[in-house]
Amino acid sequence: MKKILLFSLCMALGIGFSTAQENKTIKKETTVKKVVKKEGNKVIVQEVEATSSEKGAVIVADDGEENQYFREDTNMDQQTKTSDQFAIDEENRKMVEAKKKQEEEELQRSIEAAKAKAEEQRKMLEAKEAERLKALEEYRKKLEKRGKGVGKLKKKKGN
C-alpha cells in the first residue's frame, strides 16, 4: 500500500511539473460583420467572418537567472469567410403590392376627377357662350327695330 501511494504521488508530481510551464502562446480573434439589405421584396443577408490568429512560442535563455528576458516568435494568420443569403420577404412583398395598388387606384380617381372637372368647365363655357350669343341676337334685333321717324340702317360698303 505504501509503495502504491508513493508511486501515484510521484506520477502526479511528474505530470504536474511537465505540464506546468508551456512555452506557447495562442491568440485567436474572430470578428463577424452582418449586413442586411432590403431591395423591394428581396432581403440579402451578408456575413463576413474575419479570423486572425497568432501562434508562437516564448523563447527564454537558459542561463539560470531569475526574471529572465524573453522574446516571442509568432506567426500571423488571417482568414476571411463570406456568406450571402437571399430570402424573399413575403410580408414586405405584400405591403409593396398593396401600396402600388393603392397608388394606381388613387391615380385613377384623380384622372376621373380631372375629367369630370374639365367636362363641368366645358359645359359652363358652352352655357356662357350660348347666353352671350342670345344676348347679342336680342341686342341686334333691338337695334334693327326703329321708330316711325327713323330711317332704315344702311350697310356701308367696304367694311
Side-chain angles (χ1 to χ4, degrees):
M1 175 85 169
K2 194 176 191 182
K3 287 183 181 182
I4 295 173
L5 188 60
L6 187 59
F7 179 72
S8 61
L9 183 63
C10 288
M11 288 298 287
L13 287 175
I15 292 172
F17 286 133
S18 65
T19 60
Q21 186 174 2
E22 191 172 337
N23 293 334
K24 293 184 181 178
T25 58
I26 299 173
K27 182 180 179 184
K28 188 173 185 180
E29 193 173 298
T30 304
T31 306
V32 178
K33 292 181 185 177
K34 189 173 188 179
V35 179
V36 178
K37 292 181 187 176
K38 289 187 178 182
E39 297 174 354
N41 60 352
K42 275 188 181 178
V43 178
I44 301 170
V45 179
Q46 185 179 31
E47 286 186 0
V48 177
E49 183 177 327
T51 306
S52 63
S53 61
E54 289 183 19
K55 293 182 181 178
V58 176
I59 300 172
V60 179
D62 268 339
D63 55 5
E65 292 181 15
E66 282 187 30
N67 298 331
Q68 297 179 7
Y69 290 104
F70 66 93
R71 63 182 174 91
E72 282 188 75
D73 243 357
T74 58
N75 293 331
M76 295 284 291
D77 185 26
Q78 291 186 347
Q79 297 175 349
T80 57
K81 195 187 319 178
T82 308
S83 67
D84 291 335
Q85 296 175 353
F86 296 97
I88 296 176
D89 189 5
E90 288 296 322
E91 182 180 332
N92 192 24
R93 183 180 60 81
K94 288 178 184 177
M95 285 177 24
V96 168
E97 286 178 359
K99 189 171 183 179
K100 282 183 181 179
K101 188 175 182 182
Q102 181 184 8
E103 286 176 355
E104 287 177 9
E105 290 174 356
E106 191 175 308
L107 180 63
Q108 193 65 28
R109 282 195 301 265
S110 152
I111 289 172
E112 290 174 4
K115 284 182 180 178
K117 186 176 178 182
E119 184 66 26
E120 183 181 314
Q121 195 172 19
R122 185 183 62 79
K123 286 181 181 179
M124 185 181 68
L125 287 175
E126 283 179 357
K128 280 186 178 180
E129 182 69 18
E131 187 179 313
R132 188 183 64 81
L133 287 176
K134 187 177 177 184
L136 185 65
E137 191 64 33
E138 286 176 8
Y139 188 66
R140 181 178 292 150
K141 284 183 182 179
K142 181 181 171 187
L143 284 178
E144 286 178 356
K145 286 186 181 179
R146 295 283 181 157
K148 288 187 178 179
V150 180
K152 286 190 175 181
L153 289 174
K154 295 181 185 178
K155 292 185 181 177
K156 293 182 183 177
K157 292 184 180 178
N159 282 345

